[in-house]
Amino acid sequence: MVFQLKNTFLEVYRYREVLSNILSQELKVKYKRTFLGYFWSLLNPLMQLSVLALVFSHIVNRGIKDYSLYLFSGLLAWNFFQSSTVLSATCLLENENFIKKIYLPKIIFPLSKLLVRAVDFAFSFLALAILAAVFGYQFSWVIVALPLATLILFAFSLGVSLLVSVMTVYFRDVQYLMGVFLQLLYFATPIMYPVNLLPAKYAYYLGLNPIYRIIILFQKLLHEGVLPSPTDWWVATVVSAGTLLVGLLFLGSKDEDLVFRM
Amino acid sequence: MDALIELNNVSVKFRKYHGHASGLKEAAMRMFRPPSWYKNRPPSKSDFWGLKHVNLNIKEGDRLGIIGRNGAGKSTLLKVISKIYRPTEGSVTVQGRIAPLIEIGAGFNPELTGRENAYLNGSILGISKKSIRSRLDSIVQFSELEEFIDMPVKYYSTGMHLRLAFTIATEVPPDILILDELYAGGDAVFISKANRRLENFVENSKILILVAHDLGYIKRFCNRVIVLDHGKIKAEGTPDQMVEQYLDFCKGNPNAFAPVTEASL
């Protein structure tokens, strides 16, 4: 197991130039022939956040201070998780041409999707900064801990991405099931609504929701302006590291079989 | 370290799936159906051996030609050597930087321009960005793509594809060069240029593996030939000997091949 993980890291390192090439081509292709180009990466979250803030601050405004900031902080993390896993679900199938014709470590494909989304993630922080300036939000010094929360989010998303990308090769249905499942998860997670809106009997289930364990880090850092408790940190870390490990091992166990299933 | 390829008792099994029996629904139904339900139905999958018990040692200086009829396992063998297929049984050792030209367009992204693909393909073949940058002019020139290098590859003709792929793969001589039916689509001028480059490569005594139905090429470039049939090495020997026996075999003589002796291996 340790050997297999070490091997994966070495392979990613050996193929780092391929990864950077695939990443830059994905970024290039993404906004090709659009008038505004990369500006969309900023404009998209900016508009999405503004629309949601405008609409929902009048509907769900249940006495949350700075509701739109609450919404943004959860949504930033959720958007990254959702879009990177949805993109990854089909990434091995999409790259059938590469996988069947030339050897590349499979992890390159979900990893590049994740990194593309990481660029968007960075832009959405820029959008957040702009909105904060407009609405006059103040951030606390605790935002210095954001990189750690981001790392946890990335690890978790990569783990899920690896799992679904491999599963989709075997069961094409997974890509469609994922859409439904993610929607369910989205509404089951306090992102749009405050956590105290959930009836007490669901509190236990919320504790089992892995993505909430990670999103709460962002909500605390950005919205509440407090440091998450040590328990918050270690639960999130264990959840994401565990998911990543399972993802890596799953991919490793199916790595050689994938090409025969395409 | 010398370039080297070693195949030890390699077999590759393909699983053919019939219909959509591998879906999620089928997997769920399988749990509820009694085993007897499957008894009288045709199997949803069947096995097929692409390669069976192949032993092969290729050393530096070897220019191996592989001949055989369609479906004999030639491409499967090349894919095993280039790590695309992991053998179901047996082991494979490959030492050296390998440049496989197995299918046209492998390692190309059709949306990207020729130039961008040169970087992408180069990095896949283990050539650094810097190295590609410094050789880009010569790549463009050799592949005769001056006017098209900044055009997306999806608009390329087969010949243009081939020229770019061949040029990138051979621009920095790899330790192991694999060519599968290279010349499909290239014009006479390019083919003669490519042949000259190949001869140069061969003189530097690295490993060349060539699959071709054009037996003239096999005779010209190879110093060793194997004949594949139904996933097995049917015969092995010098190019002249093998080509002659293979032609005889294709005419329907089942005993065309002299038995493979220990000495010829």
Side-chain angles (χ1 to χ4, degrees):
Chain A
M1 189 175 102
V2 176
F3 174 75
Q4 188 201 322
L5 291 179
K6 192 182 139 207
N7 232 5
T8 309
F9 288 119
L10 284 178
E11 280 220 298
V12 171
Y13 180 73
R14 196 178 314 140
Y15 283 85
R16 64 193 182 281
E17 284 210 357
V18 180
L19 186 63
S20 84
N21 271 325
I22 291 183
L23 183 62
S24 68
Q25 58 163 275
E26 294 240 8
L27 291 174
K28 253 180 232 162
V29 170
K30 198 166 153 202
Y31 294 120
K32 214 169 133 192
R33 298 196 204 158
T34 58
F35 184 63
L36 291 175
Y38 286 116
F39 198 51
W40 276 116
S41 285
L42 179 61
L43 219 51
N44 247 338
L46 201 58
M47 294 196 304
Q48 190 204 10
L49 295 179
S50 313
V51 168
L52 285 174
L54 208 67
V55 174
F56 283 100
S57 56
H58 294 288
I59 299 174
V60 201
N61 198 355
R62 290 255 181 147
I64 295 191
K65 181 175 137 296
D66 293 340
Y67 171 75
S68 14
L69 185 57
Y70 171 79
L71 180 65
F72 298 164
S73 50
L75 210 53
L76 283 180
W78 172 263
N79 276 349
F80 175 79
F81 168 71
Q82 194 233 19
S83 58
S84 60
T85 48
V86 165
L87 272 182
S88 293
T90 49
C91 72
L92 291 177
L93 286 178
E94 274 168 26
N95 287 294
E96 190 181 328
N97 256 344
F98 276 93
I99 293 170
K100 279 176 138 174
K101 292 180 179 178
I102 204 146
Y103 177 78
L104 280 177
K106 314 285 179 297
I107 193 174
I108 291 274
F109 302 109
L111 196 56
S112 68
K113 295 288 183 198
L114 189 93
L115 292 175
V116 169
R117 285 300 156 178
V119 173
D120 286 348
F121 187 66
F123 270 110
S124 60
F125 269 101
L126 196 58
L128 181 63
I130 292 172
L131 289 173
V134 172
F135 289 98
Y137 300 135
Q138 297 288 317
F139 291 113
S140 143
W141 65 272
V142 297
I143 58 168
V144 297
L146 274 175
L148 185 57
T150 303
L151 196 67
I152 292 172
L153 174 69
F154 282 13
F156 179 71
S157 305
L158 181 59
V160 176
S161 296
L162 294 176
L163 286 171
V164 293
S165 65
V166 174
M167 271 155 50
T168 309
V169 174
Y170 290 90
F171 302 114
R172 311 275 151 120
D173 315 57
V174 171
Q175 52 183 309
Y176 303 110
L177 282 174
M178 256 190 63
V180 182
F181 181 74
L182 281 171
Q183 188 138 42
L184 189 71
L185 191 62
Y186 176 64
F187 287 114
T189 309
I191 296 169
M192 284 202 304
Y193 54 87
V195 65
N196 56 25
L197 205 70
L198 271 185
K201 58 178 174 177
Y202 294 125
Y204 172 72
Y205 297 103
L206 189 61
L208 296 177
N209 180 345
I211 189 69
Y212 181 60
R213 296 300 201 160
I214 292 162
I215 283 179
I216 198 171
L217 300 178
F218 287 87
Q219 290 171 338
K220 286 195 171 169
L221 290 172
L222 287 167
H223 174 245
E224 289 177 42
V226 298
L227 271 184
S229 71
T231 317
D232 286 338
W233 283 117
W234 77 251
V235 169
T237 307
V238 167
V239 163
S240 69
T243 310
L244 181 59
L245 186 67
V246 170
L248 284 170
L249 293 177
F250 185 56
L251 176 68
S253 72
K254 296 292 172 197
D255 197 320
E256 293 156 13
D257 190 45
L258 284 169
V259 67
F260 295 108
R261 299 297 188 116
M262 299 203 144
Chain B
M1 195 164 48
D2 278 1
L4 169 85
I5 301 171
E6 259 181 40
L7 274 75
N8 224 323
N9 198 22
V10 165
S11 301
V12 175
K13 184 168 74 176
F14 291 104
R15 188 153 276 188
K16 293 188 285 186
Y17 293 91
H18 309 293
H20 301 282
S22 67
L24 196 57
K25 192 187 94 189
E26 185 60 27
M29 299 291 266
R30 195 169 283 271
M31 290 193 286
F32 299 109
R33 284 177 182 147
S36 59
W37 194 86
Y38 288 97
K39 236 179 203 166
N40 300 319
R41 305 180 70 81
S44 65
K45 56 193 178 198
S46 56
D47 292 342
F48 162 76
W49 291 89
L51 287 178
K52 272 217 105 160
H53 307 304
V54 171
N55 285 296
L56 195 58
N57 274 309
I58 310 175
K59 288 180 286 298
E60 229 178 83
D62 276 0
R63 275 89 75 181
L64 181 74
I66 304 174
I67 52 182
R69 306 197 44 202
N70 292 141
K74 301 185 296 293
S75 295
T76 307
L77 180 59
L78 296 187
K79 286 186 174 185
V80 167
I81 293 172
S82 31
K83 271 172 70 178
I84 299 167
Y85 291 157
R86 179 65 61 101
T88 319
E89 288 165 16
S91 67
V92 180
T93 315
V94 176
Q95 271 175 27
R97 192 173 70 81
I98 189 165
L101 274 178
I102 297 180
E103 271 173 74
I104 297 268
F108 278 65
N109 180 332
E111 294 293 330
L112 297 180
T113 66
R115 185 188 304 274
E116 289 160 345
N117 267 305
Y119 286 102
L120 174 65
N121 200 241
S123 66
I124 290 174
L125 298 175
I127 309 169
S128 71
K129 201 177 265 182
K130 228 175 75 187
S131 183
I132 287 280
R133 193 178 297 134
S134 67
R135 288 159 201 266
L136 201 68
D137 286 341
S138 103
I139 290 175
V140 172
Q141 204 194 355
F142 191 87
S143 58
E144 302 162 23
L145 288 168
E146 286 87 353
E147 300 154 57
F148 309 105
I149 196 69
D150 288 312
M151 186 195 258
V153 160
K154 64 179 171 186
Y155 301 124
Y156 278 23
S157 69
T158 317
M160 288 156 81
H161 242 122
L162 160 87
R163 273 159 22 211
L164 186 59
F166 177 82
T167 311
I168 296 168
T170 52
E171 187 64 30
V172 181
D175 298 323
I176 300 164
L177 180 63
I178 296 181
L179 299 174
D180 189 355
E181 287 300 336
L182 161 72
Y183 297 105
D187 63 26
V189 178
F190 183 76
I191 288 175
S192 77
K193 262 201 326 197
N195 285 344
R196 247 173 290 139
R197 199 180 250 209
L198 267 191
E199 269 159 10
N200 256 335
F201 175 83
V202 162
E203 271 166 30
N204 293 332
S205 108
K206 306 267 174 143
I207 292 176
L208 173 71
I209 301 177
L210 197 63
V211 165
H213 289 289
D214 182 338
L215 300 172
Y217 272 109
I218 297 283
K219 281 191 182 176
R220 176 166 172 190
F221 286 107
C222 300
N223 57 10
R224 196 184 151 188
V225 169
I226 58 170
V227 180
L228 279 181
D229 188 46
H230 291 98
K232 290 179 183 165
I233 297 185
K234 184 107 179 158
E236 148 144 36
T238 64
D240 289 334
Q241 191 189 352
M242 283 302 108
V243 165
E244 188 190 329
Q245 291 181 7
Y246 176 67
L247 288 175
D248 196 19
F249 170 70
C250 289
K251 278 179 200 143
N253 178 1
N255 303 318
F257 296 108
V260 184
T261 57
E262 284 301 314
S264 70
L265 293 172

